[in-house]
Amino acid sequence: MPATTAPEQKGTDIQRTPAQSSEIRQRFLAVDTANVADVLDDMGHGNYGLSPRLTLHTGSRLAGWAYTIQGEMAPYPGTGDALKMQACNGISPDEVSVWSGGGEGVCYFGELIALGMMQRGSAGALVDGGIRDVRWLRQLDFPVVAAFRSAIQSIGRWRVTGFQAPVYLPGATTARVVVYPGDFILADEDGAIVIPNSIVEDVLAKAEEMTAREVAIREAIGNGLSLADALKQFGHV
């Protein structure tokens, strides 16, 4: 198994207008991670799936541009994490906060952070660590992918060390996946995947084509065509 994904063009190297970014995000909400994963395989970028331990805990789908936050387990005095608050206040519309840095056993994302980020237009969160306030996050309908749940707070135990810099997340087919600020994050019931910023539009267009073929195949089978004949007519997906 490769140790990490090969570095792609950094996410911040490609600029889009807010309207373009929002349109792309809305289109991604209509495709499945399975189709995106297949497209990435076909394009030779097969190591961008995230670890199966990162699962969707709230919301039905997560899609947005990566806003990265990194931290570490470290005891510290006081009752707050100033850098964490600074990081949370920097997120923009259509962005997903991507939290990296371990933190086994503790929570560093919950309802109040979600409320603050929602006010700024955040589209959800991907947390390689613990979350809590799950009942309230569900009521907010705020999509969150996380490694686990924990009632134990991070204050005094885990702290933010930086944000909007490349981070590592555990991969499905590689030990680590590099996530750059501005990469695209997509997650649903099947899992979570990273799409490098430099190929986002190409991946989206191909995934939409695959989705349209799947819809046609379902309709054909529903109308009595055999699976073999449907695949012969429409092609494999």
Side-chain angles (χ1 to χ4, degrees):
M1 177 184 287
T4 188
T5 52
E8 296 283 343
Q9 184 175 353
K10 293 182 180 179
T12 51
D13 289 347
I14 298 178
Q15 301 299 321
R16 301 174 182 86
T17 67
Q20 289 171 329
S21 296
S22 181
E23 180 194 7
I24 289 171
R25 191 181 83 83
Q26 291 301 319
R27 288 168 60 192
F28 263 114
L29 284 169
V31 300
D32 295 335
T33 56
N35 286 344
V36 171
D38 290 351
V39 167
L40 286 170
D41 274 340
D42 291 343
M43 294 176 65
H45 302 282
N47 290 322
Y48 282 94
L50 297 179
S51 169
R53 79 171 186 155
L54 293 168
T55 58
L56 195 63
H57 288 251
T58 63
S60 58
R61 302 178 67 81
L62 173 69
W65 305 92
Y67 177 91
T68 61
I69 302 173
Q70 188 172 30
E72 65 178 3
M73 289 294 289
Y76 59 93
T79 58
D81 183 344
L83 191 56
K84 183 177 183 180
M85 293 302 98
Q86 182 181 343
C88 291
N89 288 333
I91 200 164
S92 298
D94 296 308
E95 289 184 331
V96 168
S97 58
V98 178
W99 300 72
S100 173
E104 195 65 35
V106 302
C107 154
Y108 42 89
F109 190 91
E111 176 205 9
L112 297 183
I113 294 177
L115 282 169
M117 288 188 160
M118 287 177 70
Q119 287 181 336
R120 301 186 61 84
S122 173
L126 192 163
V127 184
D128 183 22
I131 62 170
R132 68 180 187 180
D133 306 324
V134 173
R135 173 163 56 100
W136 302 109
L137 290 171
R138 284 176 176 160
Q139 289 187 16
L140 293 173
D141 196 27
F142 188 76
V144 179
V145 169
F148 58 88
R149 305 174 189 182
S150 174
I152 309 304
Q153 67 177 349
S154 63
I155 293 175
R157 302 181 175 98
W158 183 94
R159 64 186 178 191
V160 168
T161 57
F163 56 97
Q164 284 300 76
V167 297
Y168 284 126
L169 293 181
T173 58
T174 186
R176 295 181 299 275
V177 175
V178 183
V179 182
Y180 290 99
D183 285 348
F184 199 87
I185 305 296
L186 184 68
D188 57 22
E189 299 91 338
D190 290 333
I193 198 160
V194 180
I195 302 104
N197 188 299
S198 59
I199 59 174
V200 162
E201 283 88 350
D202 288 343
V203 171
L204 177 57
K206 293 178 186 297
E208 287 175 330
E209 291 174 6
M210 186 177 292
T211 299
R213 285 204 307 275
E214 283 190 345
V215 170
I217 290 171
R218 289 189 193 103
E219 290 179 353
I221 292 174
N223 289 328
L225 194 66
S226 70
L227 174 60
D229 287 341
L231 293 179
K232 187 181 298 182
Q233 177 179 340
F234 296 101
H236 287 267
V237 292

